[in-house]
Amino acid sequence: MALYAAAAAVLAGVESRQGSIKGLVYASSFQNVKQLYALVCETQRYSAVLDAVIASAGLLRAEKKLRPHLAKVLVYELLLGRGFRGGGGRWKPLLDRHQVRLKAELARLKVHRGVSRNEDLLKVGCKPGPASQVPRFVRVNTLKTCSDNAIDYFKRQGFSYHGRASSLEDLRALKGKCFLLDPLLPELLVFPAQTDLHEHPLYQAGHLILQDKASCLPAMLLAPPPGSHVIDACAAPGNKTSHLAALLKNQGKIFAFDLDAKRLASMATLLARAGVSCCQLAEEDFLAVSPSDQRYRQVQYILLDPSCSGSGMLTRHLEEPGAGTPNKERLRALAGFQQRALCHAFTFPSLQRLVYSTCSLYQEENEDVVWHALQQSSGTFRLAPVLPSWPHRGLSTFPGAEHCLRASPETTLTGGFFIAVLERVEVPSLTGRSIGTRTYTQPSPKEKEEAV
């Protein structure tokens, strides 16, 4: 099966330091990148366990044509995964010949280590931490359906809907086939951690987007009204772009830029599945995009989610096994690019509102970048106070930094994230008058009920 060969190739590439899991997955020719990514991450997580079982069972000695990385993927599926998908192709008969021995070696390993669960076999460094408790967030794609219809579909499938969550504790308590509506985003459904919906028909039809809650905040806080012109400066893989299109109701224009041709190709597939029709993709460096180009004269909204260290990603330890804090030189280079991108965004003449976000935990890529850009703007832009009840704020490194938002598995039950909303202090209108800035605050319970 092509999935297993692609997963084995990614694992081999990671081992030979050709790139990160995510980079190699996007560079592969396998179309379902999320399915491939999930399989590779889980196989990598259990790598040491699989190596021990394969060696004890003598699998590679008995099947000399079976390559080690492919063996690891296949044994993961057999013993720890969901079983062979699509029948398993020509690999299922091969593994069936060794199934009894492999299962016996896994059981023997558990006895030897004094554990009863597969998860307990993981090394201390790989055992699930707070990140493993983060729920599965699912954004309803309002270009194709609505929350009520999605909820009804899940209920018909035997899921139990418990209404709108009122606290993080409600989300932590989710188990089994129960789900909730997020208390902040009316189009966000919440399922128990580790719920796998990659094969769900609504996901495959583009009615659902599997997207962490923190990753949904940038588009929500940018809040471009239908008809707006928007730039998504570093757009791939495209979840935020599809969210912008949903907020626009496909009315207006999104100019989406990214330098990676393969990631853009995957993004085009994602957007087509999501029913996005208002987006123009360009394989171009945002820093090379001219603010004076007439195509962008009406752009009032920019979403800037630039390349970063990825230190807040839930699967970071799998992205680059053994990776710790990036060295100062790499952080300095990333922050330099982020500062240039943010300052460049400020030069678009009609810009009214901008969201800067990263999946980084480091001050150098977050508060420091925002403070540098604000100083360079000479008072033209300011931080907008947003979501006053959000529990995790920016680090107090400069006056007003508390208007920034942070997120983490421990404090918000999401991936690690940083968001700053910046707005022009005065926006010239076509009549010559100035438009005052606006503040995005958390909606009241009544407003949120009406928005559903």
Side-chain angles (χ1 to χ4, degrees), residues 110-175:
K110 288 180 181 176
V111 171
H112 177 70
R113 297 190 183 178
V115 300
S116 58
R117 300 184 308 157
N118 293 334
E119 219 167 51
D120 294 332
L121 289 169
L122 296 171
K123 297 183 301 182
V124 173
C126 294
K127 282 187 179 178
S132 69
Q133 306 306 312
V134 172
R136 163 63 74 188
F137 291 100
V138 180
R139 179 168 60 81
V140 175
N141 177 15
T142 54
L143 291 176
K144 287 198 163 185
T145 188
C146 64
S147 296
D148 287 343
N149 287 347
I151 289 168
D152 287 342
Y153 191 100
F154 278 109
K155 287 163 70 175
R156 290 197 299 272
Q157 287 192 314
F159 284 83
S160 176
Y161 177 56
H162 289 192
R164 186 188 300 275
S166 60
S167 67
L168 288 181
E169 291 309 313
D170 290 345
L171 305 187
R172 284 194 182 94
L174 276 173
K175 291 181 181 178

Side-chain angles (χ1 to χ4, degrees), residues 9-27:
V10 171
L11 287 171
V14 171
E15 187 174 295
S16 60
R17 299 294 178 183
Q18 293 175 24
S20 67
I21 289 179
K22 180 165 282 189
L24 292 170
V25 164
Y26 275 104

Side-chain angles (χ1 to χ4, degrees), residues 299-316:
V299 169
Q300 292 184 310
Y301 300 89
I302 293 180
L303 195 159
L304 176 59
D305 188 77
S307 298
C308 70
S309 64
S311 51
M313 294 173 63
L314 296 176
T315 53
R316 179 61 179 167

Side-chain angles (χ1 to χ4, degrees), residues 175-198:
K175 291 181 181 178
K177 296 189 73 173
C178 299
F179 72 108
L180 294 159
L181 193 64
D182 184 76
L184 178 61
L185 284 83
E187 71 281 7
L188 199 63
L189 306 180
V190 193
F191 292 81
Q194 315 306 325
T195 301
D196 188 358
L197 296 171
H198 286 92

